[in-house]
Amino acid sequence: MSSHGGSAQDLHIPPVFWGLQHNPDAAAALRALVATAGPGHPRNPWFIADNLITFGHTRGFLTDPRFVAAVAAEKPASHELAFIWRTHTLCWAAESALAVPGDYVECGTYQGYSMSVVLRYLDGLPGRRCYLYDLFDPVGGEGEGHRLPAHAPELFEQVRARFDCWDNALVTRGKVPEVLAQVAPARIAFLHLDMNNAQAEAGALEVLFDRVCAGGIVVFDDYGWTGYRAQKSTADAFMRARGLAVLELPTGQGLVIKR
């Protein structure tokens, strides 16, 4: 499925931030800054969204027609559009991993937005399979992370329907890492971990990292966020034991390229 076309002029990034509900002074300062900077727009020198504020950066991905079209085609909600820089990081990593043998894996798919954009950006990822895992209706217990607004009994079928247009996408419901014993690729080129839970991500790494081929890319969604320090500690220890280090990105993500 081609994702070419689209206009960056259609993108107006909402200044969605997280964690300000208990900090009224910071929230007021952010509102004042947003009012001064004007609306989020590719030609505006400011980027203010997803707890990230930059000034004077080119943000070239906002003028990349292929990326803009992939995002727009998924009709993102305000919070999804706000983390567009994170989404671009995933698209960059997924495209870079095309030079590496293996399939694509995401643990923590939620509503499927991020990997839907990636698949559109890569024209459906021909010749590879894309494995997507989530509980979809967690109870919030040990190893399951916290419930998010869209979690519900029907979410699994909704996400399966979202990926119906790609024959190579396999949506699996189950707890990671246990479900990986039932279905998982033998070789991995790209791995995205976004489970909001250190125990689950540690389990995923134990099962999957040895299957990541040399040059394969691992992206941690929660790595640099203060609310998920346990995941950073877990990832750091795991990679350090293997002679690797996680690169912390301003988006809050972490990035590893396997040697």
Side-chain angles (χ1 to χ4, degrees), residues 3-239:
S3 59
H4 296 277
S7 169
Q9 305 304 318
D10 298 331
L11 288 182
H12 295 273
I13 313 304
V16 174
F17 269 54
W18 324 105
L20 293 183
Q21 65 271 27
H22 303 303
N23 194 331
D25 291 340
L30 178 62
R31 285 193 294 270
L33 180 58
V34 170
T36 301
H41 189 279
R43 291 182 178 175
N44 190 299
W46 291 92
F47 181 93
I48 304 175
D50 198 22
N51 295 32
L52 180 62
I53 301 174
T54 74
F55 179 81
H57 289 181
T58 59
R59 301 153 302 151
F61 57 90
L62 293 180
T63 55
D64 173 7
R66 182 162 63 110
F67 176 69
V68 170
V71 169
E74 288 302 315
K75 300 178 175 59
S78 292
H79 69 279
E80 292 169 332
L81 193 55
F83 57 69
I84 192 169
W85 209 316
R86 275 193 268 174
T87 307
H88 172 256
T89 299
L90 287 179
C91 287
W92 172 89
E95 184 170 49
S96 298
L98 290 175
V100 179
D103 292 313
Y104 284 45
V105 176
E106 179 178 65
C107 296
T109 294
Y110 192 40
Q111 293 176 279
Y113 170 75
S114 295
M115 286 306 294
S116 291
V117 174
V118 167
L119 286 172
R120 288 185 184 277
Y121 186 73
L122 298 181
D123 288 328
L125 195 64
R128 315 274 185 131
R129 296 205 75 182
C130 184
Y131 292 78
L132 308 165
Y133 303 92
D134 205 294
L135 282 165
F136 297 106
D137 189 26
V139 298
E142 184 178 0
E144 294 193 13
H146 58 268
R147 289 181 64 84
L148 297 173
H151 281 140
E154 62 272 16
L155 182 59
F156 173 56
E157 292 300 335
Q158 291 171 355
V159 174
R160 284 185 61 185
R162 185 171 199 164
F163 287 93
D164 271 350
C165 54
W166 290 289
D167 294 336
N168 59 336
L170 179 62
V171 181
T172 300
R173 176 170 52 189
K175 186 177 181 180
V176 174
E178 290 83 352
V179 71
L180 300 175
Q182 302 172 27
V183 54
R187 296 192 302 172
I188 297 171
F190 170 83
L191 173 61
H192 181 218
L193 297 179
D194 184 12
M195 290 185 286
N196 309 116
N197 184 277
Q199 178 184 336
E201 294 193 5
L205 287 171
E206 290 290 347
V207 174
L208 298 177
F209 190 72
D210 285 346
R211 307 184 191 192
V212 177
C213 298
I217 298 178
V218 181
V219 179
F220 300 89
D221 184 71
D222 307 312
Y223 178 82
W225 295 87
T226 56
Y228 298 101
R229 292 184 186 275
Q231 282 156 265
K232 181 183 188 304
S233 297
T234 297
D236 285 343
F238 183 93
M239 294 302 170

